[in-house]
Amino acid sequence: MKTVLVPVDGSESATRAVEWVARVLPGAADARVHLVNVQPSVDAWEVRSHLGEDDIAKFHENSSKSVLDPAVEVLRAAGLPVEVHALVGEIAEQIAAAVASTGADSVVMGTRGLGRIQSLLVGSTAMKVIHLVDVPVTLIK
């Protein structure tokens, strides 16, 4: 079985990665796609002093859903089985953990996401993921 993990963040680059998987993977027998969205932790005391844990969890859930749902539609339209994972934490580390927990054979991800210093370096998150995982990583420009 071919298991591919695709991190998505709503960026054009991540959308192209999803579209690439939708074009390439349908011919693979028993292929499965795991979509991952990682929301950064909310640690600022200014935020936490006004919002409870439930409010922050709902914010993370809604933010992930708005990114994951369109990607799921693209992959399901291509006839691919999809599982979604909404995670919170440091992005590259959470992606690496998801690779391990899902048993993914490979990662397909965009080169540039919606990071805080967008596009300063060629995908600092992508570079971190490459160093953290032991599976092939395909970068989509």
Side-chain angles (χ1 to χ4, degrees):
M1 176 182 305
K2 176 88 173 148
T3 303
V4 178
L5 186 127
V6 184
V8 292
D9 64 359
S11 67
E12 289 181 26
S13 186
T15 299
R16 285 192 296 273
V18 170
E19 291 167 349
W20 186 83
V21 168
R23 282 193 313 273
V24 172
L25 208 55
D30 296 330
R32 181 192 298 141
V33 179
H34 288 270
L35 284 173
V36 174
N37 175 258
V38 182
Q39 295 292 313
S41 299
V42 176
D43 295 326
W45 69 269
E46 297 91 349
V47 174
R48 290 195 168 275
S49 67
H50 296 300
L51 296 175
E53 289 297 321
D54 291 341
D55 295 324
I56 292 170
K58 189 68 171 169
F59 171 76
H60 285 142
E61 179 183 334
N62 290 337
S63 297
S64 286
K65 186 173 175 37
S66 70
V67 171
L68 289 166
D69 286 353
V72 167
E73 287 180 31
V74 169
L75 295 168
R76 286 198 176 142
L80 293 166
V82 181
E83 292 184 39
V84 297
H85 307 272
L87 307 172
V88 176
E90 197 283 320
I91 298 169
E93 291 174 6
Q94 290 297 318
I95 291 169
V99 167
S101 69
T102 62
D105 301 310
S106 65
V107 176
V108 176
M109 64 188 297
T111 56
R112 296 185 178 164
L114 296 175
R116 291 186 182 133
I117 306 174
Q118 185 177 13
S119 302
L120 179 63
L121 300 172
V122 175
S124 60
T125 297
M127 292 304 291
K128 286 180 188 174
V129 170
I130 289 169
H131 292 290
L132 290 173
V133 300
D134 293 329
V135 299
V137 177
T138 301
L139 299 177
I140 305 297
K141 188 173 177 183

